[in-house]
Amino acid sequence: MAGRERVVRMSVEQPLWRALTAYRVLTLIYAALLAGFGRDKWERPWVAVAFLAFLALWTLVTLPRVANAASCTKRFLGLDLTVALTGILLTPLADFDAQHMDGPTLPSIWTAGSVLAFALKGGWRWAAFASTLVAAANIVERGEPSEDTFHNVLLVWVASIAIGYVVEVARASERTLARALEIEAATRERERLARDIHDSVLQVLAMVQRRGTALGGEAAELGRMAGEQEVALRTLVSSGLVPTTRVSEDSAEGAVVRAVEIPEEESAEADLRALLAPHAGSRVTFAEPGAPVVLAAGAARELAAAVSAALDNVRVHAGPDAQAWILVEDEPDEVIVTVRDDGPGIPEGRLDQAEGEGRLGVALSIRGRLRDLGGTAELISVPGQGTEVELKVPKVSRGKAGTAR
């Protein structure tokens, strides 16, 4: 849908897979350097050379396999762990003294990369399984394991389980965040649709009810039916069950006026003055700056709709003879629009009561719109001294999306 906010999310664990890819390459180089510097101690150097050559080929060929969770299959994890365990168990064959010394194994710390792959793929349980097998292989390889051997085995076991647990928590958090974003998007869409309904259907039904009651006869019956439908629709809107032409009544002239529609082009801009100027009339005074008041098209449209909703409230609640004033101020960082009237004002607690009755003109059509734009709507009313609504919208840099957020 045009104008709808688009959210692009990247998996929180993806950087961990990239880090694992780099880790496998670096530890391969480290294992090769260890074998090269210690080549004089190998009784069967060809075993070490053959395994490290295979390990290098395996590591480079399988780099795409550890690029993400989807490509790192269970079968690959099993083969990768088998390579690591084989390297550990082959160490005494290449070095007869390996069982009596605390030197590194053939794959050295490359083995931890295989265990970490289990942790990233399946969480702490998979990590515990893989690290336990590696621990057993190290103990068998040493024959008579020393304190350092047990220390290294425990370190790998704890570290891999901790990383696996962190991955599980990250995945749960990501699912929660995705759900929250979906709920927020659905709520914003529902509020937008509720505003549209309030600005069009509900106001037309209210107009039909008032006119029908005034005319009497059959028209009065139509007005009564329209009033019942208005109440029913307000209940649906306020309960959030509406899954979803801007019109407003000019009570003085009995006309239905459609507001200007602005195309939702992401790079479009609009002069707010042009959208507000049609409201000027015998009972509405419009004061504007001499220069264009430029806003993103979507923001200008929503702000103009909020102003129109405020004027609708003046017509309905302040009486047919009430005067209204619209003042537009173009500040460096924001645009301020003030709508003031000389009506009787709003009694204390009336807005909360109206919202509870499903009359959401101020809550949705005004405050809801400004909240979605990142702005504020402040209503000041003193009984007997009229009402003032101050709307503030932050400016958006030119060239950015022109849709309301």
Side-chain angles (χ1 to χ4, degrees), residues 126-140:
W126 287 30
F129 169 77
S131 57
T132 300
L133 292 181
V134 170
N138 274 283
I139 293 174
V140 169

Side-chain angles (χ1 to χ4, degrees), residues 317-318 343-354 379-387:
H317 302 294
I346 302 175
E348 185 177 356
R350 176 56 185 151
L351 290 179
D352 294 335
Q353 179 185 355
L379 189 146
I380 303 173
S381 182
V382 179
Q385 299 183 24
T387 301

Side-chain angles (χ1 to χ4, degrees), residues 261-302:
E261 293 290 339
I262 302 297
E264 289 196 32
E265 299 177 2
E266 292 193 350
S267 60
E269 293 179 335
D271 184 355
L272 181 63
R273 302 179 308 167
L275 300 179
L276 298 181
H279 292 297
S282 59
R283 288 193 293 275
V284 178
T285 302
F286 179 47
E288 59 179 291
V293 181
V294 179
L295 284 174
R301 181 198 62 201
E302 291 296 293

